[in-house]
C-alpha cells in the first residue's frame, strides 16, 4: 500500500519529486566538499586511487548501458530500454557513494601535465562538471516519468523529449569524466592534496 501511494504521489507530482531529490543530491555533494563531516574514513593515496579507478569503470559501464538503452528505445525494445536506464541510474548511485567516500575521506589530485594539455584537461573537466550538475534534475525527471507511467501513457508526457536531452548530457558527461580520469591518473601526473574547505 505504501509503495502504491508513493508511486501515485510521484506520478502526480513528478516536478516536485525531481526538485526534492535534486536538492538532496546537491546537498550531499556540497556538504562533503564544504564541511569537514566526520563520517568518512581517512583514506590513503592507494585507497583514493582504487576508488578513482572503480569510479572510472563504473562510469564506463553506465555509459555503455545508456548507449544500449538509447539504441533499444529507437528499435522499439521498451523492456530492454527500461532495464538499461534503471541499471545506469543504479550505477550513478554507486558512483555517488564512491565519489563522496573518495572526496570526504581522501583528497583531490591536481593535474601536472604540460600546460597546453592542462588547458584541454581543465576545459573537459569543466564541461563534465557542468553537465553533471545540469543533468541531475533532467535525468531524475525522465526517470520518474518512466517509472510511474505505462509506455502508452508516456507518449502523452515529455518523457521522450526530456529523455533525449538527459541521455545526451549524461553520456557526454560520463565520457568526459572517464577521459579526464585517464589523463589525470594514467597518462600524465598529479599532485595529491587533502580536501578541506572551511566555511569560515
Amino acid at each position: 500500500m505504501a509503495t502504491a501511494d508513493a508511486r501515485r504521489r510521484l506520478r502526480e507530482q513528478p516536478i516536485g519529486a525531481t526538485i526534492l531529490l535534486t536538492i538532496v543530491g546537491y546537498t550531499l555533494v556540497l556538504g562533503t566538499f564544504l564541511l569537514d563531516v566526520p563520517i568518512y574514513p581517512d583514506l590513503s593515496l592507494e585507497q583514493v586511487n582504487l576508488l578513482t579507478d572503480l569510479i572510472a569503470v563504473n562510469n564506463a559501464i553506465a555509459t555503455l548501458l545508456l548507449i544500449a538503452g538509447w539504441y533499444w528505445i529507437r528499435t522499439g525494445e521498451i523492456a530492454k530500454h527500461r532495464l538499461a536506464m534503471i541499471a545506469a541510474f543504479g550505477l550513478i548511485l554507486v558512483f555517488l557513494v564512491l565519489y563522496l567516500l573518495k572526496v570526504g575521506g581522501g583528497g583531490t589530485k591536481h593535474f601536472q601535465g604540460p600546460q597546453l594539455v592542462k588547458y584541454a584537461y581543465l576545459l573537459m573537466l569543466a564541461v563534465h562538471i557542468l553537465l553533471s550538475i545540469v543533468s541531475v534534475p533532467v535525468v531524475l525527471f525522465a526517470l520518474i516519468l518512466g517509472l510511474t507511467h505505462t509506455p502508452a501513457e508516456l507518449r502523452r508526457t515529455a518523457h521522450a523529449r526530456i529523455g533525449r536531452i538527459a541521455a545526451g548530457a549524461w553520456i557526454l558527461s560520463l565520457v568526459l569524466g572517464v577521459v579526464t580520469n585517464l589523463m589525470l591518473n594514467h597518462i600524465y601526473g598529479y599532485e595529491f592534496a587533502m580536501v578541506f574547505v572551511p566555511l569560515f
Side-chain angles (χ1 to χ4, degrees):
M1 184 67 178
T3 304
D5 191 44
R7 183 179 169 139
R8 182 183 54 77
R9 277 192 231 154
L10 282 173
R11 180 184 170 88
E12 292 171 358
Q13 299 291 328
I15 293 175
T18 298
I19 291 168
L20 177 64
L21 291 171
T22 299
I23 290 169
V24 168
Y26 288 163
T27 301
L28 283 171
V29 173
L30 287 174
T32 299
F33 272 107
L34 299 176
L35 302 174
D36 187 20
V37 184
I39 61 171
Y40 300 105
D42 288 332
L43 301 175
S44 67
L45 176 58
E46 290 75 25
Q47 290 169 318
V48 169
N49 284 336
L50 175 62
L51 286 172
T52 300
D53 289 339
L54 287 174
I55 287 169
V57 169
N58 181 83
N59 288 353
I61 295 169
T63 304
L64 294 175
L65 283 169
L66 286 168
I67 292 168
W70 198 336
Y71 170 78
W72 282 324
I73 198 62
R74 291 175 94 50
T75 59
E77 298 181 72
I78 295 169
K80 287 182 180 179
H81 165 77
R82 182 183 173 97
L83 267 174
M85 294 310 188
I86 291 170
F89 184 75
L91 287 178
I92 292 308
L93 294 178
V94 170
F95 157 78
L96 184 60
V97 170
L98 294 173
Y99 182 74
L100 292 176
L101 181 62
K102 180 186 81 131
V103 172
T108 60
K109 297 176 179 180
H110 302 287
F111 188 81
Q112 297 296 307
Q115 198 64 28
L116 192 59
V117 176
K118 184 174 184 176
Y119 291 139
Y121 167 83
L122 290 173
L123 178 63
M124 286 188 287
L125 186 62
V127 172
H128 161 70
I129 291 169
L130 181 64
L131 286 174
S132 296
I133 293 167
V134 170
S135 67
V136 168
V138 183
V139 166
L140 285 170
F141 185 67
L143 186 71
I144 289 169
L145 287 176
L147 291 175
T148 59
H149 292 74
T150 66
E153 292 170 335
L154 282 174
R155 292 188 186 96
R156 297 188 299 272
T157 71
H159 177 76
R161 182 170 39 86
I162 296 296
R164 280 191 292 274
I165 295 166
W170 202 1
I171 289 168
L172 182 55
S173 174
L174 288 170
V175 167
L176 289 174
V178 171
V179 169
T180 54
N181 174 287
L182 289 172
M183 290 175 72
L184 178 67
N185 295 290
H186 300 288
I187 300 172
Y188 298 100
Y190 59 83
E191 181 180 290
F192 185 67
M194 294 306 290
V195 168
F196 177 62
V197 181
L199 284 178
F200 306 102

